[in-house]
Every structure is written in structure tokens, then in C-alpha cells.
């Protein structure tokens, strides 16, 4: 059984183009989340509501271009390689290099605002001989349940350390992401900056923007999976959902139709109760081995 779903943000998803992407090719799986762009105008967003900002949101979005290119590149390279951790790493690097080519063609001068790099974050993998070879960057993830509903494996959220640093240090000052100089600061000084150290810890984060430094933030591994294990690839909008105590029971069904009948209402119910935690744009691929 393979199930895939992509849902828009419960509040504003209909106002901007979808920026998540997913792709399946045999036993190769990939999800990607395009990085939100600035609206085309104005630069200062402090006096604008979210709806007003989205009126000038770029459509089509370079974020979706990057997500599409990564998924396609990831699958293309893995189709030529024997499954391994090294092959996954090469596929991530190749996808990032393809995004670099997109940015070279599309953006003449980077300003980290409207003319920021097109980019995405992603997770993906390939299943071979009951081994899952996986890769991920930032807050896209992978979770594996055994047939009894116990979590066997889950990737960390690799942006949490930056979020904590931002909350504890930057937000104590006059930091406001709606002001252009602060958006520029985050994107130019913290994204893909492995040497950004605070109290002996790296406080930056990674994204697939085509920058070579993104490779420092890619993570890879392999996991043994047994018959009837559930494997899920997800974008950050589903992170809280895949760990919810009722998630396994709702999605661990024999047919896609049964999942559709139970999972969509379950996800929408969670989103209505907590829009910020469960209601953002979200995508997942789930399969029972």
C-alpha cells in the first residue's frame, strides 16, 4: 500500500500557489517544501495583513520550481545508482546543483528579499532489500512505525536549534521578520552558514538553495525495515500529525480508500483545533512495506 496526500494551508492556502512537491518512482520516494518567497511589493510588511501580503505573492512561485526540480533530480539520479547511503547523498547534492542552475538562470543579483535564492527543503529515500536508505535537510522528515504502532525511527527537526536561538536571542532585541533588514539578515547570515557558532554550537540552518554550503546541513542514513512496517516521508506541516497518538491507527489501513475516509477528516479536525501546529500546507507519502 502506498498513500500520498498534499493539503493546502487551512487559512491561506487558496491565496498562494502550492509550494510542496512529491514524487514516487518504484521504490524511490521524495517530498519537498518550497521556501516561502517575499511578496513582490512592498518590502516592509509590518502594516500588512497576511491576506494583503499574499495579494502580491509571486505566481508562479520560484519556491515551487525549486521543489519540483529537486524531486525530479533526486529520482533521476537514484534510478541510475545502486541503492546506498552514498547514492542518497549524491542525489541530494545533484538536486541542489540543479537548483543552483535554476537560480543562475532566474536571478541576476541576489538581494535576499524579492530576489532571494529559489530554494526548498526535502526528505527522500529508496527501499531495497528491507533497508531504507534516506536523506533529509531542515524540517522535512521521515518516520518509521512497526506493525504494532511503535515508532522505530524518526529524523530530528534540524531547524529547532536555530528557532530556539532566534527566540532566546534575536527576539529579545527589536527583531521583526516583517521588516526587510531582518529577513535579509536571517537569509544572508544564518541560512547555510555552518560557521555561525554561538556558545560552541552551530545556530544556523540548511536549505537547498544551490549554495555549496547546503551540503553541510544534509543528513543521511539507513534503517532496517521489516514486513508491515509503516514508512512516512513528510513536509514540516505534517510533523506534529505523524507523531500524534492517533496517527498510526488512522493511516494504517489496507486500502487507499479506507485511508482517504479516515485520514483526511482526521487531519482537517486537527487543523481546525490548532491551525498553527496542524493547519499549514502539508504533504506526505506513506507506505506499508
Amino acid at each position: 500500500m502506498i498513500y500520498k496526500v498534499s493539503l493546502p494551508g487551512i487559512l491561506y492556502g487558496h491565496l498562494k500557489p502550492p509550494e510542496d512537491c512529491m514524487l514516487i518512482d518504484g521504490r524511490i520516494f521524495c517530498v519537498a517544501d518550497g521556501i516561502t518567497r517575499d511578496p513582490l511589493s512592498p518590502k516592509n510588511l509590518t502594516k500588512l495583513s497576511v491576506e494583503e501580503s499574499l495579494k502580491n505573492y509571486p505566481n508562479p512561485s520560484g519556491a515551487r520550481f525549486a521543489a519540483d526540480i529537486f524531486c525530479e533530480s533526486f529520482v533521476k539520479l537514484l534510478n541510475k545508482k545502486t541503492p546506498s547511503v552514498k547514492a542518497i547523498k549524491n542525489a541530494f547534492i545533484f538536486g541542489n546543483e540543479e537548483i543552483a542552475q535554476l537560480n543562475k538562470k532566474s536571478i541576476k543579483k541576489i538581494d535576499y528579499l524579492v530576489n532571494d535564492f529559489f530554494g526548498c527543503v526535502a526528505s527522500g529515500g529508496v527501499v531495497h532489500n528491507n533497508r531504507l536508505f534516506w536523506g533529509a535537510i531542515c524540517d522535512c522528515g521521515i518516520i518509521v512505525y512497526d506493525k504494532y504502532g511503535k515508532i522505530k525511527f524518526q529524523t530530528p527537526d534540524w531547524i529547532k536549534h536555530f528557532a530556539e536561538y532566534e527566540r532566546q536571542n534575536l527576539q529579545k532585541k527589536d527583531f521583526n521578520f516583517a521588516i526587510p533588514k531582518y529577513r535579509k539578515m536571517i537569509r544572508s547570515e544564518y541560512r547555510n552558514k555552518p560557521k555561525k557558532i554561538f556558545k560552541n554550537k552551530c545556530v544556523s540552518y540548511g536549505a537547498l538553495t544551490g549554495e555549496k554550503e547546503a551540503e553541510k546541513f544534509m543528513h543521511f542514513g539507513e534503517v532496517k525495515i521489516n514486513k508491515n512496517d509503516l514508512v512516512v516521508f513528510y513536509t514540516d506541516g505534517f510533523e506534529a500529525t505523524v507523531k500524534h497518538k492517533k496517527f498510526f491507527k488512522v493511516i494504517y489501513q489496507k486500502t487507499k480508500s479506507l485511508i482517504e475516509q479516515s485520514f483526511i477528516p482526521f487531519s482537517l479536525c486537527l487543523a481546525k483545533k490548532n491551525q498553527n501546529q496542524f493547519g499549514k500546507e502539508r504533504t506526505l507519502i506513506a507506505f506499508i512495506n
Side-chain angles (χ1 to χ4, degrees):
M1 187 285 300
I2 298 177
Y3 176 68
K4 58 182 181 179
V5 63
S6 188
L7 299 176
I10 193 169
L11 285 179
Y12 308 114
H14 64 289
L15 293 177
K16 79 174 185 179
E19 293 177 334
D20 280 5
C21 177
M22 59 182 161
L23 195 56
I24 303 171
D25 190 336
R27 300 292 273 176
I28 304 171
F29 307 88
C30 186
V31 298
D33 178 5
I35 298 169
T36 303
R37 310 291 300 168
D38 272 17
L40 299 177
S41 65
K43 290 183 178 181
N44 193 320
L45 309 177
T46 52
K47 296 182 180 180
L48 298 182
S49 65
V50 175
E51 293 91 341
E52 289 171 329
S53 297
L54 291 175
K55 285 180 181 178
N56 288 320
Y57 197 83
N59 188 1
S61 166
R64 179 57 189 256
F65 294 159
D68 285 343
I69 284 175
F70 179 80
C71 288
E72 292 164 4
S73 302
F74 182 83
V75 168
K76 179 181 178 180
L77 189 135
L78 285 176
N79 270 321
K80 301 176 181 178
K81 302 287 185 180
T82 300
S84 66
V85 173
K86 183 178 179 180
I88 297 293
K89 181 177 180 179
N90 289 339
F92 262 76
I93 292 172
F94 177 60
N96 190 52
E97 290 172 346
E98 291 296 286
I99 292 173
Q101 293 303 311
L102 168 68
N103 282 322
K104 186 176 180 180
K105 295 175 183 177
S106 305
I107 304 174
K108 302 304 178 184
K109 186 177 181 180
I110 302 297
D111 65 4
Y112 297 101
L113 296 170
V114 170
N115 294 308
D116 190 20
F117 292 108
F118 295 162
C120 68
V121 294
S123 67
V126 59
V127 175
H128 181 69
N129 291 338
N130 290 321
R131 308 294 296 183
L132 167 64
F133 302 98
W134 63 268
I137 187 170
C138 201
D139 53 6
C140 282
I142 303 149
I143 190 168
V144 180
Y145 284 88
D146 68 17
K147 63 182 179 180
Y148 303 108
K150 182 179 179 180
I151 296 176
K152 295 176 58 173
F153 168 78
Q154 185 177 21
T155 53
D157 178 355
W158 283 290
I159 202 172
K160 276 190 174 180
H161 60 288
F162 167 74
E164 291 172 0
Y165 171 81
E166 179 188 9
R167 182 176 60 255
Q168 295 173 6
N169 296 278
L170 300 181
Q171 291 184 11
K172 289 181 179 179
K173 303 174 184 178
D174 58 348
F175 178 86
N176 184 340
F177 200 71
I179 298 173
K181 71 175 182 178
Y182 293 111
R183 296 199 301 281
K184 184 174 182 178
M185 177 189 72
I186 295 298
R187 294 163 181 168
S188 65
E189 298 180 20
Y190 289 90
R191 187 183 62 202
N192 292 330
K193 295 295 185 289
K195 295 182 180 180
K196 195 73 174 182
I197 306 298
F198 180 75
K199 293 184 178 179
N200 297 318
K201 291 184 179 180
C202 177
V203 293
S204 53
Y205 65 97
L208 300 162
T209 59
E211 296 165 285
K212 178 75 174 176
E213 292 82 1
E215 295 177 20
K216 299 289 186 180
F217 297 90
M218 299 174 183
H219 301 270
F220 310 100
E222 65 177 283
V223 181
K224 182 180 179 181
I225 55 174
N226 299 319
K227 185 178 180 181
N228 295 320
D229 281 355
L230 175 72
V231 181
V232 183
F233 300 87
Y234 58 90
T235 61
D236 72 304
F238 268 131
E239 183 189 8
T241 303
V242 302
K243 295 185 291 185
H244 192 280
K245 61 183 180 180
K246 294 183 179 179
F247 171 77
F248 178 82
K249 184 178 180 180
V250 168
I251 205 167
Y252 198 78
Q253 308 286 346
K254 293 183 178 179
T255 66
K256 294 178 184 178
S257 59
L258 286 174
I259 296 174
E260 201 74 20
Q261 292 170 24
S262 58
F263 182 72
I264 298 297
F266 169 69
S267 179
L268 293 178
C269 181
L270 291 177
K272 289 178 182 178
K273 290 179 180 178
N274 189 327
Q275 296 165 354
N276 185 55
Q277 191 172 21
F278 299 103
K280 296 184 291 185
E281 185 176 10
R282 53 212 187 276
T283 296
L284 67 76
I285 298 171
F287 70 89
I288 299 174
N289 190 39

